[in-house]
Amino acid sequence: MTISLAQGNFKQVFNEKTRGTTTNIKIDVTDDLGNEGYLPVSIVKGKTDGPVFTIVAGVHGFEYPPIVATQELMQEIDVDKLAGILIFIPIANRASFYTRTPYMNPQDKTNLNGAFPGDASGSITQRMAYSITEKIIPVSDVFLDIHGGDACEDLIPFICYYNNQQKPEQTRKAKELSENSGFEYVVSYPYTLKDEDPAKYVFKQAVQDGKTALSIEAGKLGNVQEESVILIKTGVYNMLAQMNMYDGPKTTPKPDLIKLNYQTYIRSNEKGIFYSPLKAGDSVKKGDIVGRTTDEFGKTITEYKATSSGVILYKLATPPINKGDTVMCISEHR
């Protein structure tokens, strides 16, 4: 049974005891500046009890493969075969999506994936972050945030988690899910966040709040690559199977995982035109020239050198470059 509601009380719907249902709700979000929007949420309750697995896509509305993959997952999941509850936020940043705006919500020029834990009295993006922090994360056992390369980013598909030594059990589960997801590249990030620090990123907020949380990166350059959509869906199905929540299409995990646990970032100090012969997935050595920036007359302003040896996780792949842009992320295993 599917119930569509123009407005919905998330807590009320989530706590209802009826099983084998899909309920779609809209959590209205407005701010004092007159901005209006809503957070679309689909609550899928299996016939039997089990964990709560939350899937968020479209935190950046120009990252299309995660959004398309989530749309397909919502149509494919059979509640009769599901144990537990799936919570989908299919497009978290709707304003970004419908205006084709990279990174930011154009209503308040704020990046949702930098606004957590949010603010109940802030701008519309801050209030959306607050709704996710206060309503969705607390009821989740596993929290999956799906991203891809935005309009200007080239990246290799990978799955990642935070190595939070303060919460070893949650970290162990995130590592296990990552390594059995079917992704070849498994990336762990250091976790140095204090409890009182703002998390900024949505899945880092979930980690800070004691949840098993991880993120997928697949897709690039503001396009829908079918292979990325399939990879995302396969990763989700593999994780659900591992948690004994769903018996759906899955693949055998790759035997030779590439585990990366150390990242360095090259950032721009100028505005100009960026050139690089490299692509995501290429290997570099520390000190290698990996790109250059020219002015509008073609004069080289800056040459960029690799800050470490490793593989390029993602990079700027379009010519415009501004001060503060991330030129490249290089990752290795140490």
Side-chain angles (χ1 to χ4, degrees):
M1 178 174 64
T2 300
I3 304 172
S4 296
L5 302 175
Q7 300 182 50
N9 183 311
F10 175 82
K11 184 176 181 179
Q12 177 183 336
V13 174
F14 181 83
N15 288 331
E16 287 178 353
K17 301 301 182 183
T18 308
R19 310 295 303 187
T21 62
T22 299
T23 306
N24 301 322
I25 66 174
K26 298 177 180 179
I27 300 175
D28 291 327
V29 183
T30 60
D31 66 16
D32 295 339
L33 300 174
N35 294 311
E36 298 180 350
Y38 64 83
L39 200 63
V41 180
S42 186
I43 304 171
V44 184
K45 297 183 178 181
K47 285 291 186 67
T48 58
D49 291 336
V52 178
F53 194 115
T54 295
I55 298 170
V56 181
V59 167
H60 291 144
F62 217 121
E63 297 173 358
Y64 298 139
I67 294 169
V68 173
T70 302
Q71 292 294 314
E72 293 185 8
L73 284 165
M74 289 192 298
Q75 301 304 313
E76 292 174 5
I77 293 291
D78 184 348
V79 294
D80 292 335
K81 299 178 181 179
L82 177 66
I85 298 175
L86 290 175
I87 299 174
F88 291 99
I89 304 178
I91 309 177
N93 195 339
R94 294 175 59 258
S96 166
F97 176 76
Y98 287 111
T99 60
R100 303 182 181 93
T101 303
Y103 303 115
M104 304 291 181
N105 180 341
Q107 294 172 299
D108 60 359
K109 305 296 189 295
T110 300
N111 185 341
L112 179 57
N113 207 37
F116 286 82
D119 184 346
S121 59
S123 69
I124 188 166
T125 299
Q126 293 168 325
R127 295 188 189 203
M128 285 184 177
Y130 180 83
S131 290
I132 294 172
T133 300
E134 293 298 312
K135 293 180 171 69
I136 311 296
I137 292 177
V139 301
S140 305
D141 294 307
V142 175
F143 191 94
L144 173 65
D145 178 29
I146 311 178
H147 284 264
D150 218 303
C152 61
E153 294 173 337
D154 178 28
L155 63 76
I156 55 174
F158 62 93
I159 190 166
C160 56
Y161 64 94
Y162 282 101
N163 183 19
N164 184 0
Q165 298 181 4
Q166 298 171 354
K167 296 182 173 66
E169 182 60 18
Q170 289 88 337
T171 300
R172 182 192 66 78
K173 290 179 180 178
K175 179 177 184 291
E176 188 176 84
L177 288 171
S178 297
E179 293 180 353
N180 288 278
S181 65
F183 278 78
E184 180 178 11
Y185 289 89
V186 177
V187 178
S188 62
Y189 293 117
Y191 184 88
T192 58
L193 200 65
K194 298 178 182 177
D195 288 345
E196 64 273 15
D197 291 339
K200 294 185 178 180
Y201 312 129
V202 59
F203 97 97
K204 198 172 188 178
Q205 181 67 52
V207 173
Q208 188 180 46
D209 291 346
K211 305 299 179 179
T212 296
L214 59 165
S215 182
I216 285 173
E217 293 274 0
K220 56 188 178 181
L221 292 168
N223 291 307
V224 179
Q225 297 89 21
E226 183 60 26
E227 63 271 22
S228 296
V229 173
I230 293 171
L231 187 59
I232 292 167
K233 289 168 55 181
T234 301
V236 171
Y237 281 125
N238 282 343
M239 287 186 275
L240 293 177
Q242 186 182 346
M243 294 177 64
N244 296 315
M245 290 183 66
Y246 197 78
D247 185 15
K250 51 187 178 294
T251 61
T252 302
K254 294 182 180 297
D256 299 320
L257 297 178
I258 299 174
K259 300 179 183 181
L260 305 170
N261 63 359
Y262 181 80
Q263 295 79 37
T264 59
Y265 302 87
I266 304 172
R267 304 192 193 278
S268 169
N269 290 315
E270 70 288 314
K271 178 183 290 188
I273 303 169
F274 177 65
Y275 299 86
S276 174
L278 302 173
K279 62 183 184 298
D282 286 345
S283 295
V284 296
K285 293 182 179 179
K286 185 176 182 179
D288 286 352
I289 295 175
V290 296
R292 64 188 177 94
T293 296
T294 72
D295 62 17
E296 291 89 347
F297 300 101
K299 179 183 178 180
T300 297
I301 304 171
T302 301
E303 284 187 336
Y304 297 99
K305 294 183 178 181
T307 46
S308 64
S309 299
V311 62
I312 299 173
L313 273 188
Y314 53 87
K315 66 179 288 289
L316 184 67
T318 55
I321 191 169
N322 292 284
K323 185 176 181 179
D325 285 351
T326 299
V327 175
M328 191 172 292
C329 173
I330 301 170
S331 190
E332 62 178 308
H333 182 78
R334 288 190 175 184

